[in-house]
Amino acid sequence: MFRATPIVMGMGLLLAACASPSSEIHLAPLFSHHSVPGWDRAEAAGGILSREQTPQATSWTLSPLLWRQVDANGKILADFFYPLGRYEKDPSRPRTATRILPFFWYQRELRRNGVEETDWFLFPIVRGTSSDGSDESLGIFPFWGKVRNFMVLDKVEWLLFPLFVRTTQEDRTHTFLMWPFFGWREGGETSGWHAWPVYVQSQFGNHYKRHYFLWPFFTRTEEQLQKPHPLRGWMLWPLYGVIRQDDFEAHTFLWPFFAWASRPSTGYESWSLMPFLKFENSPEKEKEFKKVWPFWMRTTSQIGQWTSWMWPLFWHHHSELGEVVSESFRFIPFWFQKKLRSKDKTLNEEWHFWPLARKSVRADGSEELRIPSPGMAPIVEPDQLARNLGPWFELWTDRKRQREDWSHKRAWGNLYHEAQSEQHHRWSLPVLGGRWIEPDGTRHFSFLLGLLRWQKASEEKAQLEPPAFPGPGWPKLFSSTP
């Protein structure tokens, strides 16, 4: 007859008490799984590996190698080897784009006119095509290339760069031999040639004429030729320069140290002793600028005012555009605060206390508080930095979305967790345990890896609940449907 030993019996009881994989589990930093209505998160290794799901989107993270998000409309965003890699796919356009800086980028998009365009670059090769043949590009830098729609230019061609380069914009072309030293312009209203820096001559229709001799020592320019009173000026750098237009006159001496200008017809006046003093008053535009550098600077205009003290440390900005008021203050690099409000409500508010914390509050009531470890505060692209590298340096995270009545707080490594949604409130500490409050007020407690659990309704006695190792063992509340 088989006789169960105490060890076997203990194992059987333990297995019977195990929490299901979908239940609340808190064994941080090894593994955790949490959920409230409208939100579900599972993570391992202190958040280095994680999956987070809401009815709007699902995201995965393998920090710092990969972050990927797919929203309910099928739009995909991904960062890899942040900040070098980026992937985007938007079925609504449709558009697909990938980049790995600085060696590779790829983009494919369907334009509004139905033309499909594909562009890619794999150093040193660049290639672009379109379904109607209007965009055909191919280049192998620096040997040969013909690339269309490059930045603001319609076409760029090169042969053994920099020996020969030609750019085209609308009906104007600019040809270079030994770029940028020799070249000429032609087409449209443009003409001119240059042997830089000895002599440069350039003209664009009735817009301007420019001449440079031994650049930058002598320059002469005529601008706005289409007006009754064109702007004309010359400069013998850095000794003296002058610009005149109608009754406006500006002079500079020993540029950029001394300068003065005036327009008597409008009351405009300006003078400066760079970089220390400057005064500028434009009554016509209701604009004024004063500077006693580095102690104080102020600009006032029709829409607002900005002031700096002990430049560049302290900055204050106030502006009013319609019914929207913007107010901000900076103490570089430690403090930044900005508030955007309308007549009856705050539209956006944020503050940064570098390197300790940053918080943002949006018009829909959503909030986010992040506390990074010293020296690792997000300064550039804070959202991307947080989602890719946050598990490594964020000591505290506090997120809130008022619209979904949802909030989540998390300590570094998930050593403390708290989530709230639809009047469900849960908090827990790894191994030790935590508490869950239901909307009707029922309280559930779980301690010691879920081996000790009980619940208590508002006016009832406490009732023991079955063990749920490794705890807390509360049921999953997330539903993927909105």
Side-chain angles (χ1 to χ4, degrees):
M1 182 178 180
F2 176 75
R3 204 181 263 185
T5 66
I7 295 178
V8 174
M9 292 177 63
M11 291 180 63
L13 291 173
L14 184 61
L15 290 173
C18 284
S20 68
S22 62
S23 300
E24 191 100 353
I25 297 174
H26 200 171
L27 290 175
L30 299 178
F31 176 79
S32 299
H33 179 215
H34 308 287
S35 75
V36 288
W39 179 80
D40 184 86
R41 177 181 174 90
E43 65 175 62
I48 294 176
L49 177 63
S50 69
R51 177 195 56 78
E52 186 169 307
Q53 188 174 3
T54 69
Q56 292 76 34
T58 301
S59 63
W60 299 265
T61 303
L62 178 58
S63 178
L65 302 179
L66 174 67
W67 172 87
R68 185 175 186 267
Q69 175 182 280
V70 182
D71 69 14
N73 298 319
K75 184 177 180 179
I76 301 175
L77 297 176
D79 300 324
F80 51 96
F81 301 110
Y82 175 81
L84 302 180
R86 176 73 167 173
Y87 174 79
E88 300 176 15
K89 182 178 181 180
D90 188 349
S92 63
R93 295 179 63 168
R95 174 180 178 269
T96 301
T98 306
R99 74 163 188 257
I100 306 176
L101 297 176
F103 308 105
F104 172 79
W105 58 261
Y106 171 88
Q107 177 172 300
R108 187 174 185 176
E109 183 172 9
L110 184 65
R111 302 174 187 167
R112 293 182 178 179
N113 59 4
V115 176
E116 185 177 72
E117 180 181 346
T118 303
D119 299 286
W120 59 268
F121 167 76
L122 177 62
F123 185 83
I125 303 173
V126 61
R127 174 68 169 153
T129 60
S130 62
S131 58
D132 64 349
S134 62
D135 184 5
E136 294 293 334
S137 302
L138 179 62
I140 304 176
F141 189 85
F143 304 107
W144 172 85
K146 182 168 69 173
V147 177
R148 296 183 181 274
N149 300 318
F150 179 75
M151 300 180 69
V152 299
L153 301 172
D154 297 328
K155 184 169 64 174
V156 179
E157 301 171 89
W158 70 88
L159 179 65
L160 297 177
F161 180 90
L163 293 181
F164 175 84
V165 179
R166 174 174 291 162
T167 65
T168 304
Q169 186 176 18
E170 296 179 349
D171 54 354
R172 305 185 299 272
T173 62
H174 197 172
T175 304
F176 298 88
L177 301 177
M178 287 300 298
W179 179 91
F181 300 105
F182 305 98
W184 60 93
R185 298 172 182 262
E186 57 187 348
E189 301 178 280
T190 303
S191 64
W193 63 275
H194 71 269
W196 185 86
V198 179
Y199 183 77
V200 179
Q201 173 185 314
S202 179
Q203 180 173 350
F204 180 30
N206 61 350
H207 296 280
Y208 65 76
K209 291 181 181 179
R210 297 169 184 168
H211 297 81
Y212 306 88
F213 179 68
L214 294 178
W215 184 91
F217 296 104
F218 181 78
T219 61
R220 183 166 63 88
T221 183
E222 298 177 71
E223 310 280 341
Q224 304 173 21
L225 298 176
Q226 75 276 16
K227 293 186 176 182
H229 301 282
L231 183 150
R232 293 181 170 89
W234 62 270
M235 185 172 189
L236 180 61
W237 184 86
L239 299 178
Y240 179 73
V242 61
I243 292 176
R244 293 186 176 93
Q245 184 179 32
D246 198 10
D247 68 334
F248 173 80
E249 194 168 304
H251 303 262
T252 181
F253 175 67
L254 293 179
W255 183 91
F257 300 106
F258 302 96
W260 61 97
S262 66
R263 186 187 291 272
S265 62
T266 62
Y268 174 83
E269 290 182 303
S270 173
W271 62 268
S272 63
L273 172 60
M274 292 292 289
F276 307 105
L277 302 173
K278 182 173 182 179
F279 170 81
E280 185 177 19
N281 182 30
S282 180
E284 184 182 34
K285 298 181 179 179
E286 299 182 28
K287 184 177 180 181
E288 189 175 35
F289 177 78
K290 298 177 181 179
K291 176 174 75 170
V292 182
W293 186 84
F295 306 104
W296 178 75
M297 287 189 294
R298 173 172 291 177
T299 292
T300 57
S301 65
Q302 296 176 341
I303 63 172
Q305 179 184 96
W306 66 259
T307 307
S308 172
W309 302 271
M310 299 305 297
W311 184 92
L313 297 180
F314 301 94
W315 297 82
H316 175 261
H317 175 262
H318 174 89
S319 65
E320 299 182 15
L321 191 59
E323 296 185 353
V324 178
V325 178
S326 175
E327 193 98 23
S328 65
F329 179 78
R330 298 175 185 265
F331 173 29
I332 296 175
F334 305 105
W335 178 258
F336 167 72
Q337 182 178 18
K338 181 178 181 180
K339 181 181 289 188
L340 193 67
R341 64 181 187 274
S342 62
K343 231 174 185 181
D344 55 348
K345 66 177 181 178
T346 298
L347 301 177
N348 184 58
E349 184 175 3
E350 60 179 310
W351 58 260
H352 300 238
F353 184 28
W354 186 86
L356 299 179
R358 68 181 183 89
K359 183 177 182 180
S360 62
V361 181
R362 297 178 178 85
D364 60 4
S366 60
E367 297 182 17
E368 184 171 272
L369 172 66
R370 295 183 181 273
I371 301 180
S373 60
M376 289 295 295
I379 298 176
V380 180
E381 295 183 333
D383 292 334
Q384 289 192 25
L385 187 61
R387 70 197 185 202
N388 285 279
L389 303 178
W392 298 94
F393 67 82
E394 287 187 337
L395 301 180
W396 180 260
T397 303
D398 186 347
R399 296 185 291 164
K400 181 179 181 181
R401 291 197 297 264
Q402 191 70 31
R403 185 170 52 190
E404 291 93 358
D405 186 28
W406 170 89
S407 67
H408 174 226
K409 300 176 182 179
R410 179 184 183 278
W412 178 81
N414 202 30
L415 298 180
Y416 173 80
H417 154 79
E418 182 177 347
Q420 184 173 351
S421 177
E422 297 183 9
Q423 300 182 22
H424 286 271
H425 181 242
R426 288 177 171 180
W427 68 262
S428 59
L429 296 165
V431 180
L432 296 179
R435 183 187 66 183
W436 164 33
I437 302 177
E438 295 190 71
D440 63 2
T442 301
R443 288 171 166 79
H444 301 262
F445 300 88
S446 177
F447 293 100
L448 301 177
L449 291 169
L451 298 177
L452 179 60
R453 303 190 339 140
W454 71 91
Q455 66 168 304
K456 187 179 185 305
S458 56
E459 296 182 0
E460 296 180 2
K461 293 183 178 181
Q463 297 180 359
L464 289 176
E465 292 184 332
F469 182 84
W474 301 319
K476 179 179 178 179
L477 299 177
F478 172 77
S479 175
S480 59
T481 56

